[in-house]
Amino acid sequence: MLVLPPDSDALFAEFLRENGVVTPDAIRNVSGTPSGKLIETLISNGAANEDAIAESLMHFFGINHTAVDAAMAAQRPMQEKLNTNFILRTRIAPLEVVGSVLKVALADPDAFNNVNDVKMMAGCSVETYVTTLTEMGKYMQALQSAPAGKPVPAKAKAAPQAKVASVHRLPQQALLADFSGKQETEQESHSEVINFVNEVIMDAVLMGVSDIHIESFREKARVRFRRDGVLQDMAQFEEFLTFNYSAVTTRIKILASLDISERRLPQDGGISSDKLDKAVDIRVSVLPTVHGERIVLRILDPDAANFTLDQIGMPEGELKKLRKAINSPQGMLLVTGPTGSGKSTTLYAILKELNDGKINIMTAEDPVEYDLFGIGQVQVRDDIGLSFTAALRSFLRQDPEVIMVGEIRDKDTSDIAIKAALTGHLVLSTLHTNDAPSTITRLINMGVPAYLLNSALTLVLAQRLARKNCPHCRVKDEAISKEELISIGFPEDNLPEPMIGKGCEQCMETGIRGRRPIHEVLPVTQAMKEAIFKGASDSELSAIAHKEGFHTMQEIGRDLVRSGEISVNEYKRILVLE
C-alpha cells in the first residue's frame, strides 16, 4: 500500500494557531511558504519562539524532546546506510542505536514525512524525538563540513534554481533494490523516486484533482492535473520527470501491481492509499506511446459516493420528478451525458437512497468505482466473457428489485435491460447522448421497438458539470459582445451582464472555483409515449415536453450566466451543441 505523508506544515500551522502559539496574522503571513520552511519562516519573522515551537511539535506528534550536539554528526550511527546527502535532504538526524532501535531527531513537521524512508534505508525500527531548529542547524552544518561526506546535492543547497544539467538520471535498477547491500547512489535514487511519486499524488489529492496525466515527449516530460474538469500543467515536476521518466513509470507500475517488464501493451491496475485518515483509491492506466509509456491516474474520492439526492444540486421540482421515477416498482431510468459529467455520482446517489436493506440491488460496472455496503456490485470483464449482457442475464436469476447497468453499449444490453424493466425490475443505466429527448431516438436507432420503449422507459436525466466563476475575483466580462449574448439565446431587450473570474490566490489564478451540475429531467408521460409510438423526432419530443414544464440544460445555463455563476465561455463550452 502506498502511504502518502500528511500535509504536515499546514496542519501544524493550524495547531499553532489553535493553541495560541502564533497569531492568525502570523499564519496568514507565511501562507505559500515552501514545504519544510514553516518554522524557519515563523522564527525569522519574530512570530514565534523556537523553544515554544519545539514544545508544540512534541504535543503535535506525541513524541519527546532530546538535546542534539553538533559533535553527534561525526559519530552518527549507520553511516554506511544513511549517507550525508540523504540526511541533509530529509532533515532527520540519526543520533544513536539502542538495541535494535535507531534514535533520530527532527525539528520541523515536514521532516516527519521522511521517517518511513529512514526506516527503509536503515532496515530497523526508528524512534523519533524533537529538537530545536538551532541545534538541528548546528548538526547539519557539522555534517556538511565533515571530510567523509559527499557533495551536497543541488536541491539540498540554498540555490533556488537547479540547472537542467545538474539533474542526474536515476538508474532503473534502483527501484528494485532491497537495500541490504546496495550502493548509496541506488539508495538515494530509490528514495527520490518514491518521494517524487508520493509528492505528485499527495498534491493532487490535496487539490481535489480528478486525474493525473504523466506524459513523455521527444524533448521533455510533463505532469498535468485535471482540476474542475480542465487540465493544468504542473511545471514544478517537469525537470525531475524528464530525466527520470522510466524510473517514475516503473515505480507507479510497482504500486499498481502491474508487470514492470511489459512495455508493449496497455495495462490497468489500481493503488489504495491512506491520506489523512481517508482512504483514496487510484485507478491506473498505462498506455505505450512512441516516446514511452503514458500514465493516467484517476483519483476516486470515496466521499463522492456519499452524496445524497438532496446534495447533487437539482432544483426541488426536478428532484420530485426523479424521486417519483426511482420509487416506481418497475421501469427504466437513464442518465445521459459525456464522460466526466457526473453520471456515476448521480447514479450512486440514487442507489444510496434506494438501499434501505429491504430490497436486493445488483450492479454491473466497468469499473466499480465505489464500494457500497449492502449492494451486490459486479466488475465487468470483457476479456473473460463477463460483459454487461452476461451480468444482466445472471442478475435476473438473483432475485433483484433494482438493477444498475453501468452503460448501455449495444443492442443486446438494451434488449435485456428493457425486458428486465418490463418484468418487475427498476433498471438504472447510462447512455452517451447530447440531451434527454435525443436519448429516445438513440435507443430506437439501436433497435429497441417503440412499443417496448413506451412501456419500459419512465424518465431520462441529462446532465453536465459547469465550472463556476470564482466568487472572490468575479468581474464583468468585457470581452463578450451583445451579438454573442444574442447568439446563445438571450433576448435582445433583456441581456445580462456577463461575469468571469479574473484569477486570484483563492482559485490559484484560474478564475474557477468548483463545479456545479446542470440537469434536464424528462419524464416519459402519456403524451410523450404517444409521440414516441408515432415516430416523433427529437424536436417534436422536445416541444411536447416543454408544454409539460420541461426545462433544457441551455435554459438553466442561461439563468446561471445571468446570475454570474458561470461565464459565457463556460456556457458555450458545455452547452452549445454544434
Side-chain angles (χ1 to χ4, degrees):
M1 177 182 287
L2 170 66
V3 179
L4 298 177
D7 185 18
S8 301
D9 273 358
L11 292 175
F12 186 59
E14 182 64 17
F15 179 85
L16 293 174
R17 185 193 65 78
E18 288 180 351
N19 287 275
V21 180
V22 296
T23 65
D25 286 342
I27 295 299
R28 280 192 290 269
N29 291 338
V30 297
S31 177
T33 299
S35 180
K37 297 292 185 181
L38 171 68
I39 292 178
E40 184 179 335
T41 305
L42 286 171
I43 293 173
S44 64
N45 289 350
N49 176 280
E50 73 168 345
D51 290 329
I53 291 284
E55 185 175 350
S56 298
L57 271 175
M58 291 166 56
H59 293 295
F60 184 67
F61 287 116
I63 56 180
N64 294 322
H65 177 271
T66 189
V68 173
D69 194 308
M72 292 178 173
Q75 288 85 34
R76 71 187 191 278
M78 298 194 176
Q79 296 189 33
E80 73 285 356
K81 293 184 177 181
L82 304 177
N83 59 72
T84 300
N85 289 347
F86 177 78
I87 296 170
L88 289 170
R89 182 172 58 77
T90 59
R91 305 189 306 282
I92 296 179
L95 304 178
E96 61 178 333
V97 174
V98 180
S100 61
V101 178
L102 173 64
K103 181 179 175 181
V104 301
L106 53 84
D108 67 81
D110 189 67
F112 200 89
N113 298 335
N114 299 307
V115 170
N116 283 334
D117 287 344
V118 175
K119 291 179 182 178
M120 184 183 298
M121 300 287 279
C124 67
S125 298
V126 173
E127 195 171 275
T128 54
Y129 292 84
V130 169
T131 189
T132 64
L133 199 64
T134 298
E135 289 184 347
M136 181 62 72
K138 292 178 179 178
Y139 180 101
M140 293 297 173
Q141 187 176 7
L143 181 68
Q144 199 166 0
S145 60
K150 292 185 178 181
V152 182
K155 70 179 189 178
K157 293 181 180 178
Q161 294 289 336
K163 297 180 180 179
V164 173
S166 69
V167 180
H168 59 285
R169 188 181 301 275
L170 303 181
Q172 180 73 12
Q173 64 269 28
L175 289 165
L176 308 177
D178 62 5
F179 308 115
S180 58
K182 300 293 181 182
Q183 295 181 355
E184 290 177 345
T185 54
E186 291 188 9
Q187 294 172 354
E188 291 174 25
S189 300
H190 185 288
S191 181
E192 289 187 14
V193 171
I194 290 175
N195 288 342
F196 177 83
V197 173
N198 281 4
E199 184 179 356
V200 170
I201 297 176
M202 180 186 70
D203 286 359
V205 172
L206 290 173
M207 291 170 61
V209 168
S210 63
D211 300 89
I212 304 170
H213 290 244
I214 299 175
E215 308 160 291
S216 177
F217 301 96
R218 183 185 298 275
E219 296 180 355
K220 68 177 184 177
R222 69 180 178 185
V223 175
R224 292 189 293 170
F225 287 174
R226 187 177 294 280
R227 187 167 183 261
D228 292 331
V230 178
L231 284 170
Q232 300 173 10
D233 197 350
M234 308 304 290
Q236 68 268 33
F237 299 125
E238 181 180 303
E239 185 177 319
F240 185 93
L241 182 64
T242 296
F243 285 87
N244 302 283
Y245 193 83
S246 181
V248 170
T249 57
T250 299
R251 172 63 180 166
I252 294 173
K253 288 164 77 173
I254 290 172
L255 292 170
S257 301
L258 300 178
D259 184 355
I260 63 173
S261 64
E262 179 57 74
R263 298 177 178 275
R264 301 165 301 167
L265 298 173
Q267 296 188 72
D268 295 309
I271 301 171
S272 292
S273 123
D274 292 325
K275 176 72 182 73
L276 297 177
D277 298 324
K278 180 176 73 173
V280 176
D281 290 325
I282 302 170
R283 215 163 67 209
V284 180
S285 173
V286 181
L287 180 69
T289 69
V290 294
H291 296 299
E293 292 176 295
R294 186 181 191 276
I295 296 180
V296 174
L297 296 90
R298 166 66 59 90
I299 300 173
L300 303 174
D301 185 348
D303 287 346
N306 295 327
F307 277 103
T308 65
L309 284 180
D310 293 317
Q311 295 172 327
I312 63 173
M314 188 178 294
E316 185 60 37
E318 310 297 271
L319 187 56
K320 186 177 179 180
K321 297 175 186 176
L322 177 60
R323 281 203 164 104
K324 180 181 179 181
I326 67 173
N327 287 308
S328 300
Q330 67 179 44
M332 176 184 283
L333 183 150
L334 295 176
V335 181
T336 77
T339 301
S341 59
K343 299 189 298 295
S344 294
T345 300
T346 299
L347 283 174
Y348 278 114
I350 293 172
L351 291 175
K352 186 174 180 183
E353 181 152 320
L354 294 173
N355 187 24
D356 60 1
K358 299 176 182 179
I359 60 174
N360 183 21
I361 303 176
M362 305 291 297
T363 74
E365 305 173 59
D366 185 20
V368 175
E369 295 190 4
Y370 305 108
D371 186 11
L372 300 177
F373 175 78
I375 294 177
Q377 296 174 271
V378 174
Q379 169 69 58
V380 169
R381 289 188 58 189
D382 289 321
D383 58 330
I384 61 171
L386 184 54
S387 61
F388 282 123
T389 305
L392 261 176
R393 287 196 179 101
S394 295
F395 285 176
L396 297 178
R397 296 190 288 272
Q398 289 279 320
D399 186 34
E401 279 89 4
V402 178
I403 295 172
M404 194 270 272
V405 187
E407 182 183 351
I408 293 180
R409 295 177 177 173
D410 50 42
K411 187 178 185 302
D412 287 342
T413 309
S414 64
D415 285 346
I416 299 174
I418 290 286
K419 290 174 183 175
L422 292 172
T423 55
H425 304 88
L426 176 63
V427 179
L428 313 173
S429 191
T430 69
L431 203 62
H432 290 281
T433 58
N434 287 333
D435 53 31
S438 64
T439 303
I440 295 169
T441 53
R442 169 73 187 281
L443 287 169
I444 292 174
N445 291 337
M446 288 175 66
V448 178
Y451 70 92
L452 289 181
L453 196 58
N454 273 349
S455 302
L457 190 62
T458 56
L459 182 137
V460 180
L461 168 63
Q463 66 181 64
R464 299 287 191 278
L465 282 178
R467 297 177 295 171
K468 298 191 295 184
N469 289 328
C470 175
H472 302 283
C473 61
R474 194 170 64 180
V475 296
K476 182 179 179 182
D477 192 349
E478 303 288 354
I480 303 300
S481 65
K482 174 182 176 181
E483 291 72 24
E484 194 167 357
L485 292 171
I486 294 173
S487 71
I488 61 174
F490 285 103
E492 189 173 356
D493 59 348
N494 188 20
L495 296 178
E497 184 177 87
M499 308 293 285
I500 193 169
K502 66 177 182 178
C504 65
E505 289 184 2
Q506 298 288 335
C507 61
M508 297 179 63
E509 304 299 333
T510 64
I512 303 298
R513 189 69 183 269
R515 291 187 291 177
R516 64 149 295 155
I518 299 176
H519 303 97
E520 62 179 32
V521 180
L522 178 65
V524 181
T525 61
Q526 186 58 41
M528 291 288 292
K529 291 180 179 181
E530 293 174 2
I532 293 170
F533 188 75
K534 293 176 182 178
S537 65
D538 291 354
S539 58
E540 290 170 333
L541 292 173
S542 184
I544 294 170
H546 268 93
K547 292 179 181 178
E548 298 179 332
F550 173 68
H551 298 286
T552 67
M553 290 183 288
Q554 287 74 18
E555 291 169 344
I556 298 169
R558 285 194 288 270
D559 288 341
L560 295 176
V561 170
R562 189 176 293 280
S563 68
E565 193 167 348
I566 69 172
S567 67
V568 170
N569 289 335
E570 182 64 7
Y571 175 95
K572 293 169 69 176
R573 185 182 74 88
I574 63 170
L575 294 175
V576 174
L577 309 176
E578 304 198 37

